Amino acid sequence: MLVESVEWQIRQQPYHAMIALFRRKTRVFASLLAVVVLYLLLAFVPENRETLYGFTYVRTSYDWSKQPLKYPISEYVPLPTGRPLPLPKVQYAFTTDTSPKGAARDEVLASRRAEVKQAFTKSWTSYKNIGFGYDELMPVSGKGRDAPGFGGWGATLVDSLSTLWIMDLKDEFYEAAAAAVTINWAHTSDTSCNFFETTIRHLGGLLGAYDLSLETALLEKAIELGDMLYMAYDTPNHMPPFWLDFDDAKRGRQVAGYHDPSASVTSSSLEFTRLAQLTGNDKYYDAINRVTLVLDEWQNKTALPGMWPTFFDFAQLQLNSDNSFTLGALADSLYEYLPKTFALLGGLEPIYEKLYRGAMDAVIENLLFRPMTPNQDDILFSGNVYVSDDTGPHLTAEGQHLACFVGGMFGLGSKLFNIPEHLEIGEKITRGCVWAYDSMPTGIMPEIFNLLKCDTLEPCEWDESTWENEANTQLAKGFKSARDVRYLLRPEAIESVFLMYRMTGNPEYQEMAWRMFQAIRKATETDLAFSSIQSVRDVNTVKSDSMESFWLAETLRYFYLIFSSPDLINLDEFVLNTEAHPLRRPR
């Protein structure tokens, strides 16, 4: 790690930035250069440094664990007790093929894995050399930038930790970890942080990195952050807001929102449960359990019983003020976390199975649709429903890249809850997303699009005249329109492809993944890294100069894992949070 790689630390804790250079196999040149810079920076040495578990550790300058609560809890609901139940296996029972054909296949997979790793290394190296410590690298202009609401806490740095470990980039992992444990959560120019994004990227990233490496300093940093994020629940009814306002939290003035995205205020169960398991502190579990009980109370009282609306009025605890329902943007991880939290709790809390079953029954009946295609492709998508007071549910046959996670979710629910038909549904949804990839000139699906749909989930005859009269005929047959043709380096499609491969053992999914990776690499690569593009319809892609942290945390991680040994992040040993951070399931 060269000096320019630690600009962020120099800006905040200059002495600690230099100490990090001496950790684990650092080059002599960097060490000598660090000594010179160290003497130049002695006047700025902060006083809160300490050596912790072999790292130079900087504690956050505001200790949220000592912050008095405006609305204290008299008694915390504890984690479920007892040994985890013997849950059904999620992962397919893979065997080793020692034949010449098997050896040849291993060589192919190793080559593909190396190409994915090369894409990650290119992205990480540019981030480290140019944008280190900023939230994101700008992969065209070659700058670093902080994302609004992310606190300037190095989202890409923390989000990438688990990928560095998984790809066996251990030197880079320890360089990044040494930087991560110097983050001061109180050092930010923002007055508030995005509660959801900070939870899934930063807290999830630290917990996942700890569960892989067992480096206790990372857990300590996660506890600091968890104590800050816990303050989001210090509201009159203990429901969290979208924004965690630091000053309001200190003064006891927080309230839940009147119109917040449902995913944003309900998707902390994995991270807070794992933090409770690792620390023995039930306050974290108590917080998310209260939200779960509200979901249970309202599941069958909404405009579409079984599901919850896209937006919540948590301030008044009225979950029937919105009549729109989706598994896509704004609601997605609410549903994703139901089977995953069940697994992380070892099956000891049955409410998550109840919520999943009720929600998926409503999804199958109301949201799933089959597109009308010339080949009668056996695929499904999840659309959006608006419930009219007069005419009832109305389905819009809209597809979203964000909703491609649904295939993997159905598969996971099928395995954990012994619902075989959900695996079939999950495969059809996953193959639908791959079909959408294959249908575009770049080989990448759009962000949002509309499809011609069949009347039922069964095959229907292709109607050429309907397509000519109602659809944009410049698109592939089956598409009606594409209102957002960007690709933002999103992971949801490869996420479900990876999960389906690990759950079924079908190597076809590896071929789908390779086709997708090649298309994405060709369309998004820049001199420095990889960039979002403005249109998947134009093979001469226009880059948007954006590379969000999930490119390294999720997209490339899933591509790498699908070509790796099934024992690497075994699905019966880990639960992946919505940012693909592996949280270890208790045994």
Side-chain angles (χ1 to χ4, degrees):
M1 183 191 295
L2 301 179
V3 170
E4 62 264 30
S5 302
V6 292
E7 176 188 353
W8 168 66
Q9 294 180 75
I10 293 174
R11 283 189 279 135
Q12 300 189 39
Q13 297 101 13
Y15 182 77
H16 307 305
M18 300 304 101
I19 291 294
L21 292 168
F22 289 91
R23 279 191 60 82
R24 309 186 187 196
K25 300 182 180 180
T26 309
R27 294 180 176 84
V28 173
F29 170 74
S31 301
L32 293 174
L33 186 59
V35 170
V36 175
V37 178
L38 170 63
Y39 280 105
L40 294 176
L41 296 171
L42 279 177
F44 303 100
V45 176
E47 297 181 352
N48 60 339
R49 65 183 178 89
E50 60 181 282
T51 300
L52 186 67
Y53 305 107
F55 287 87
T56 295
Y57 188 92
V58 175
R59 294 195 180 276
T60 188
S61 53
Y62 190 88
D63 188 350
W64 287 97
S65 70
K66 294 182 170 59
Q67 170 67 37
L69 298 177
K70 174 70 172 180
Y71 304 99
I73 306 295
S74 58
E75 185 176 357
Y76 295 130
V77 174
L79 279 163
T81 57
R83 292 183 60 83
L85 302 180
L87 299 179
K89 293 290 185 183
V90 171
Q91 188 154 294
Y92 178 79
F94 290 91
T95 58
T96 302
D97 185 354
T98 58
S99 69
K101 183 178 179 180
R105 178 65 177 173
D106 288 343
E107 289 184 9
V108 169
L109 296 178
S111 174
R112 293 176 177 180
R113 193 164 61 245
E115 292 193 43
V116 175
K117 186 174 181 178
Q118 185 179 40
F120 175 88
T121 302
K122 177 177 181 175
S123 303
W124 173 257
T125 301
S126 292
Y127 171 74
K128 187 174 75 169
N129 291 340
I130 299 171
F132 195 74
Y134 286 97
D135 289 324
E136 300 169 5
L137 169 72
M138 300 174 70
V140 176
S141 60
K143 302 174 184 177
R145 70 176 170 201
D146 289 331
F150 283 34
W153 297 315
T156 295
L157 167 69
V158 180
D159 231 359
S160 300
L161 287 170
S162 297
T163 313
L164 290 167
W165 185 275
I166 288 168
M167 292 188 179
D168 200 30
L169 296 168
K170 295 302 194 300
D171 288 349
E172 291 84 351
F173 171 84
Y174 279 106
E175 289 176 349
V181 298
T182 68
I183 295 174
N184 185 342
W185 307 114
H187 189 108
T188 176
S189 59
D190 293 342
T191 59
S192 59
C193 72
N194 184 312
F195 173 66
F196 168 72
E197 296 290 356
T198 307
T199 298
I200 66 169
R201 301 193 197 209
H202 294 84
L203 182 57
L206 290 167
L207 291 171
Y210 168 76
D211 268 341
L212 291 174
S213 69
L214 299 181
E215 291 288 356
T216 308
L218 293 170
L219 178 58
E220 288 293 322
K221 186 55 64 176
I223 294 170
E224 285 184 3
L225 179 57
D227 286 335
M228 183 184 83
L229 294 171
Y230 177 76
M231 296 304 299
Y233 295 92
D234 187 29
T235 63
N237 59 13
H238 303 293
M239 296 296 109
F242 181 88
W243 295 101
L244 171 59
D245 185 289
F246 308 126
D247 189 58
D248 283 351
K250 292 174 182 177
R251 297 173 182 269
R253 298 189 307 210
Q254 289 186 115
V255 293
Y258 289 87
H259 191 72
D260 284 344
S262 55
S264 299
V265 292
T266 61
S267 303
S268 302
S269 57
L270 285 179
E271 297 80 6
F272 274 58
T273 293
R274 187 62 184 141
L275 193 57
Q277 289 172 338
L278 290 169
T279 63
N281 191 334
D282 285 326
K283 75 175 185 180
Y284 307 114
Y285 179 74
D286 175 89
I288 62 96
N289 183 68
R290 293 173 186 274
V291 174
T292 302
L293 293 178
V294 171
L295 294 178
D296 184 41
E297 178 187 354
W298 279 92
Q299 182 168 31
N300 293 310
K301 297 194 297 185
T302 66
L304 191 66
M307 294 188 69
W308 302 272
T310 307
F311 292 94
F312 280 4
D313 178 355
F314 255 1
Q316 301 182 94
L317 284 181
Q318 295 295 316
L319 273 57
N320 59 353
S321 58
D322 176 29
N323 284 14
S324 63
F325 298 82
T326 183
L327 294 181
L330 307 175
D332 44 10
S333 50
L334 184 167
Y335 300 91
E336 175 190 356
Y337 272 27
L338 297 177
K340 289 183 174 182
T341 306
F342 178 87
L344 188 62
L345 288 167
L348 295 173
E349 176 45 81
I351 193 172
Y352 291 99
E353 178 178 0
K354 172 180 177 290
L355 297 179
Y356 170 85
R357 285 180 177 272
M360 292 310 106
D361 285 348
V363 167
I364 294 168
E365 182 177 350
N366 296 282
L367 268 70
L368 296 189
F369 68 92
R370 187 186 191 114
M372 180 177 68
T373 66
N375 298 325
Q376 296 188 351
D377 299 273
D378 194 13
I379 56 178
L380 297 173
F381 286 85
S382 178
N384 306 324
V385 164
Y386 182 82
V387 180
S388 167
D389 293 337
D390 298 325
T391 58
H394 173 73
L395 172 64
T396 300
E398 179 180 274
Q400 298 182 31
H401 198 291
L402 276 168
C404 282
F405 85 93
V406 174
M409 176 187 65
F410 266 102
L412 186 59
S414 168
K415 294 290 187 176
L416 288 172
F417 306 132
N418 193 25
I419 315 174
E421 59 270 25
H422 280 201
L423 182 61
E424 181 181 353
I425 290 171
E427 289 204 75
K428 291 181 180 181
I429 294 171
T430 301
R431 291 176 182 270
C433 290
V434 175
W435 172 86
Y437 264 72
D438 291 337
S439 298
M440 290 292 141
T442 55
I444 308 171
M445 74 183 293
E447 179 77 354
I448 304 174
F449 51 92
N450 285 82
L451 297 162
L452 299 171
K453 73 179 182 71
C454 297
D455 291 333
T456 71
L457 300 184
E458 299 302 317
C460 62
E461 293 294 327
W462 170 252
D463 188 333
E464 187 83 9
S465 62
T466 297
W467 176 67
E468 291 176 348
N469 294 328
E470 297 184 10
N472 179 350
T473 56
Q474 299 301 308
L475 298 170
K477 290 184 177 181
F479 283 82
K480 187 174 184 179
S481 62
R483 67 180 178 91
D484 188 343
V485 293
R486 297 174 299 163
Y487 174 62
L488 305 180
L489 303 177
R490 288 204 187 278
E492 292 80 17
I494 182 57
E495 172 186 351
S496 283
V497 171
F498 159 72
L499 290 172
M500 281 301 157
Y501 169 67
R502 285 290 188 88
M503 286 187 258
T504 67
N506 187 345
E508 288 183 19
Y509 288 109
Q510 291 178 311
E511 300 310 305
M512 297 175 196
W514 182 238
R515 200 162 65 242
M516 293 163 64
F517 174 74
Q518 290 177 297
I520 291 171
R521 179 174 59 183
K522 181 179 180 180
T524 67
E525 190 165 13
T526 71
D527 291 340
L528 293 170
F530 298 82
S531 172
S532 299
I533 58 176
Q534 292 184 12
S535 175
V536 299
R537 296 182 59 191
D538 187 353
V539 293
N540 298 312
T541 56
V542 177
K543 312 299 191 297
S544 305
D545 204 15
S546 173
M547 187 180 81
E548 286 205 51
S549 65
F550 53 65
W551 167 247
L552 293 96
E554 298 185 76
T555 310
L556 290 176
R557 186 179 303 173
Y558 285 126
F559 275 119
Y560 186 82
L561 286 172
I562 197 171
F563 302 125
S564 299
S565 166
D567 291 331
L568 183 60
I569 314 298
N570 188 304
L571 298 183
D572 293 310
E573 298 174 4
F574 291 93
V575 173
L576 300 171
N577 88 330
T578 195
E579 200 74 3
H581 295 305
L583 306 178
R584 193 174 294 275
R585 291 168 58 175
R587 310 306 294 177

